[in-house]
Amino acid sequence: MARPKRGEFHPHLAEHRARLGLTQDQVAERLQALAREHGDGHLAVSGETVARHERGKYLPGPHYRRQYTRLYGASEEQLGLVLSSNPPPALSGQVLPATDADDAFDAFDAFELAQRAAASDVGDTVLTGLEQAADRLAVAYQGTPPAILLPEVRRHLGYIGQLLDKRATLDQRRRLLVVGGWLSLLAATVDIDLNLRPVAAARLNTATSLAEQAGHKEIVAWCLETRAWDALTERNYKLAVDLSQAAQRVAPRDGSAIIQATAQEGRAAARLGDDRQARDALARVERMASPLAVPDQPEHHFRYDPAKQLAYSATVLSWLADPAAEAYTRDVLNRLESGRDGGTRPRRVATARLDLALTLAGLGNLDEAAGQAIVALKSGRIVPSSAWRAAEIVDAVENREIAEAAELREAFDAIRHKNGHV
């Protein structure tokens, strides 16, 4: 079958890519990752391929079109990937359609209805709905698989991009920039969870830019803290310390970012073996967190929950190989599993098990260490970017030829290879 001639379709791919602030190479990487995530096999695509698709050289095949609709959260018609004698309507003014993400998060129909009823192009009802959606998604981060959460966050960002093209008052525009900054930051966090680091870096740049335009230092500080966390998961501990300290310098004194960044400094220092700096950071976190009340939504990713302080202490002590870490990690795990600190937090439970397992491995209790690590890895709550925390436990167990070694290795490899990441 002959390829369709140029001009028989009118792609809007470049417009959608610009909304996400991605390069053509980054789009190619994301398309490959989506093909793997959805079991579609290998997708041969490069930045040059994306460029040809955007220029309308030829209509992409169905395998490519399927990944484009997933990446941009739009139908083939809205992306212009259909043969037609008339061009489809431009992106501006369109509302991106629902994806297969959890419908509990879907507020787009309500937003669109509110906008049509408002007297201005960007009404307060629409802005309030977006702000509430950003909070709901930040709360959902704790218990929602990242591959499910990401399309919903991305779809909200697309809607905000459309609203930024409309007329708005200065106050309305600032609110759009702020909610866009929070959602870009959350999307970057989820991208890091999925090991989609080039996309995450682009989103962090966008979040920082939006926050700086809005004069929102809390978001700027969270962006630095998120970069520090990313560096930590990549085992670049010195960079993690530097970025954590940069976040503290920028952060407002009365926000959550300064506490989280200080805790991140302590964890990175512990990985460097700097006992003094790690414990000093823990002491500073305790001074800042102890007067705080439990927030209304303790699961909110960007609101510091004082209960985290004990968990960070447990992590730091386990990474310092301090024997006191066992009591801390067991206490943290018991509190999380019982819901004593307000609700269940499955991701925190899983990472607390890894902290306990690492501590037990250091103390020579390898049987229980293996058991705790296996439960954590099989819980489905350890995302690919966190799997590295189990590596030392696996090594310790395999070196001593513990009975559970084979099962632990199998669970560990399954996480490492999740979504095609090794």
Side-chain angles (χ1 to χ4, degrees), residues 26 59 100 149 159 205 219 221 307 333 345 389-390 407:
Q26 290 168 342
L59 182 67
D100 57 355
L149 186 63
Y159 189 73
N205 288 337
I219 296 178
L333 186 56
R345 298 179 176 90
R389 299 178 68 163
E407 184 181 0

Side-chain angles (χ1 to χ4, degrees), residues 107-131:
F108 268 55
D109 290 343
F111 293 161
E112 180 67 4
L113 180 61
Q115 185 180 344
R116 290 177 180 176
S120 61
D121 287 345
V122 182
D124 288 341
T125 303
V126 175
L127 288 167
T128 299
L130 285 167
E131 290 162 347

